[in-house]
Amino acid sequence: MVSKVLIANRGEIALRVIRACREMGIASVAVHSTADDNAMHVRLADESVCIGPPAATDSYLSIAAIISACEITGADAVHPGYGFLSENAKFADILAAHNITFIGPKAEHIRIMGDKIAAKARAIELGIPVVPGSDGEVKTAAEAAKIGADMGYPVLVKAASGGGGRGMKLAMTEADMETAFSTARHEAKTAFGDDAVYIEKYLTTPRHIEIQVVCDAHGNAVHLGERDCSLQRRHQKVLEEAPSSVLDEKSRAAIGKIVTDAMQGMNYLGVGTIEFLFENGEFYFIEMNTRLQVEHPITEMITGVDLVREQIRIASGERLSFTQDDIVLSGHAIECRINAENPETFVPSPGTITAYHAPAGLGVRMDSAVYAGYPIPPYYDSLIGKLIIYGDDRQSCIMRLKRALREFVIDGVDTTLPLFARLVEEEDFNTANYDIHWLENYLGMKD
Ligand code: ADP
């Protein structure tokens, strides 16, 4: 087993990893920028190393600084969390060259799945159903127009290197195509340094349903059911729940088998999430995330599996601690992403948290790294915590979520808590009657 894990991340996910390490008797090392001197992950890890100035490019994204921190502390493994370097194949290669274990998948799989065009081609080879679309990259506006006409509008022009909900442009009709194509390419180049784009049929009423998989180095692949992440704003997840109200045991088992067979087919290692759109009973692959997801706790709540512990065990060469038959989904879990943002305009609201009281009690889990007096730095993501609720069924989970939201106090900065307080009263939410466009319609947003 690895003996000392350096966490190349900050915030709640750094704490999540420190907690797993401590429960496994493994030492932990925090790295931090000068803006995070007072951060909880620095206080809670066994050791900490300052790796640079506030800008992430000079600290949390600096491979050289992180390798140096490993050398200084003698860490023999790195957990990348999510974001930052978690899907950087070069980082995984460099760690390997330094004999440091990367707690994540093989570099080649990060590389393939990081390019959405390559990922889709691989998914097709592996027998995973995909969203109908172009055969790989689309290089000219004329080609795009031809595909649009053949496939039928609306279509989406997507960046091969896109992520975080960015790099997508919608063409409702042929008249929009030229602009959608050129702006998508331009934005892809500016945001990701790669102007490759492809085209997909735009699904009008799908759910976003993703399957969690976990694979060891001994050929075992197990799926842990799905998460429904349809409540989104600007293609980014806001609230997630597991299981999804629209899957039954048969369809869950069927897609689970397709996914685990595919993962075995590619010799995948570690945790991964295969993301699908689900419409009229059919699954359509959109992408695979080769890392731990923000919303992983809801899967932990309904399966009892500690995903970070499992990641560390797998990276150490151990076998999965369970088989597919051991996985029984029980109860219901919901996660609310609490951001330091205005709940109506969604403008980030950095500042100092003056009062903080998190809800607790049976079935309430709060993954956060903030505290009263904590100054939220303006340099990073606005996620300040995840409220994770478990209940015996969806109805009791929602009742518990309502009572937890009433207990929550965060003063000094704006947060998205009021949005969730509104949402839980909505009939469509209570009847699970929503697709990926529902929240934006509810918020009165246009794409
Ligand atoms: P990212 O990597 O930026 O998260 P994804 O490809 O995973 O991009 O898509 C994010 C979200 O964008 C999806 O959950 C869905 O809401 C929307 N989306 C992506 N592809 C399509 C499509 N073909 N039709 C409709 N919506 C889509």
Side-chain angles (χ1 to χ4, degrees):
M1 190 71 75
V2 298
S3 63
K4 193 189 261 195
V5 174
L6 181 142
I7 300 125
N9 216 303
R10 61 184 300 282
E12 68 85 20
I13 197 62
L15 256 64
R16 172 72 190 85
V17 179
I18 292 168
R19 287 175 174 143
C21 288
R22 192 143 292 150
E23 289 176 16
M24 296 173 81
I26 295 172
S28 58
V29 179
V31 292
H32 66 96
S33 72
T34 50
D36 277 339
D37 286 343
N38 296 319
M40 278 292 263
H41 73 288
V42 176
R43 297 188 194 186
L44 288 186
D46 295 319
E47 290 172 66
S48 66
V49 182
C50 180
I51 51 164
T57 41
D58 300 324
S59 51
Y60 297 104
L61 288 169
S62 166
I63 296 179
I66 289 164
I67 300 286
S68 304
C70 289
E71 298 290 334
I72 294 165
T73 56
D76 60 351
V78 169
H79 194 301
Y82 52 69
F84 294 130
L85 295 169
S86 60
E87 287 170 300
N88 185 314
K90 188 174 139 204
F91 181 51
D93 280 336
I94 294 175
L95 286 173
H98 285 79
N99 278 324
I100 301 165
T101 302
F102 178 64
I103 302 176
K106 298 171 191 162
E108 59 171 299
H109 293 146
I110 301 177
R111 212 162 259 132
I112 295 172
M113 295 303 169
D115 174 344
K116 292 185 172 184
I117 292 176
K120 223 173 150 179
R122 194 64 188 272
I124 294 168
E125 273 167 34
L126 291 163
I128 300 177
V130 304
V131 185
S134 59
D135 182 14
E137 186 183 348
V138 178
K139 294 203 167 108
T140 63
E143 206 187 322
K146 167 131 192 13
I147 294 165
D150 290 350
M151 205 158 59
Y153 287 88
V155 302
L156 210 48
V157 185
K158 297 176 77 172
S161 303
R166 293 176 306 148
M168 274 177 244
K169 285 280 167 271
L170 177 62
M172 284 307 290
T173 64
E174 201 179 331
D176 305 333
M177 190 49 145
E178 205 171 322
T179 317
F181 180 76
S182 58
T183 45
R185 262 177 87 112
H186 179 74
E187 284 186 18
K189 181 79 187 167
T190 323
F192 313 109
D194 168 17
D195 67 359
V197 297
Y198 62 109
I199 293 178
E200 262 179 7
K201 181 88 194 151
Y202 179 72
L203 302 185
T204 50
T205 57
R207 294 231 173 192
H208 172 118
I209 295 185
E210 56 186 35
I211 311 292
Q212 176 72 59
V213 289
V214 49
C215 309
D216 66 20
H218 306 274
N220 300 303
V222 172
H223 76 87
L224 302 181
E226 78 283 1
R227 294 182 286 259
D228 191 324
C229 313
S230 303
L231 288 173
Q232 302 182 353
R233 185 181 168 274
R234 301 218 157 121
H235 307 305
Q236 280 192 292
K237 299 159 191 168
V238 171
L239 177 150
E240 305 94 351
E241 54 182 313
S244 169
S245 309
V246 295
L247 289 198
D248 55 21
E249 245 173 73
K250 211 171 137 213
S251 49
R252 178 174 301 120
I255 192 70
K257 172 137 180 32
I258 289 174
V259 163
T260 47
D261 284 353
M263 292 303 107
Q264 278 174 324
M266 67 190 270
N267 269 319
Y268 188 76
L269 184 71
V271 305
T273 300
I274 327 297
E275 296 193 336
F276 293 95
L277 295 178
F278 180 78
E279 192 174 66
N280 300 328
E282 301 289 336
F283 282 94
Y284 303 95
F285 170 90
I286 46 173
E287 69 162 344
M288 174 172 185
N289 289 318
T290 53
R291 56 170 165 82
L292 192 66
Q293 305 258 121
V294 174
E295 60 274 21
H296 75 275
I298 53 173
T299 297
E300 298 186 319
M301 302 312 280
I302 63 160
T303 58
V305 170
D306 178 336
L307 279 165
V308 178
R309 180 188 183 92
E310 220 53 44
Q311 281 190 294
I312 297 172
R313 294 184 66 261
I314 292 164
S316 304
E318 309 258 322
R319 284 173 183 278
L320 287 182
S321 54
F322 44 80
T323 64
Q324 191 67 63
D325 289 345
D326 296 329
I327 302 300
V328 180
L329 306 189
S330 108
H332 197 89
I334 294 178
E335 173 184 277
C336 300
R337 295 193 187 195
I338 299 158
N339 291 340
E341 286 172 359
N342 180 294
E344 270 151 36
T345 61
F346 299 94
V347 171
S349 171
T352 297
I353 294 178
T354 51
Y356 181 78
H357 175 84
L362 188 64
V364 178
R365 166 175 169 183
M366 189 60 208
D367 279 20
S368 173
V370 305
Y371 52 88
Y374 176 70
I376 302 168
Y379 311 103
Y380 314 110
D381 195 277
S382 58
L383 181 79
I384 54 169
K386 305 183 309 201
L387 174 60
I388 302 131
I389 306 290
Y390 178 82
D392 290 338
D393 53 33
R394 189 168 190 270
Q395 182 56 27
S396 53
C397 188
I398 292 175
M399 290 303 284
R400 187 168 277 160
L401 173 57
K402 286 187 190 181
R403 78 99 175 131
L405 287 167
R406 288 184 66 146
E407 291 174 24
F408 220 139
V409 178
I410 305 180
D411 287 342
V413 295
D414 284 341
T415 75
T416 47
L417 280 173
L419 168 65
F420 295 112
R422 272 170 67 197
L423 203 53
V424 293
E425 301 301 335
E426 283 302 315
E427 191 183 334
D428 283 343
F429 176 70
N430 279 278
T431 54
N433 177 28
Y434 57 78
D435 61 25
I436 60 168
H437 305 298
W438 186 90
L439 185 60
E440 292 196 345
N441 288 335
Y442 175 67
L443 295 170
M445 273 180 63
K446 285 220 167 72
D447 210 3

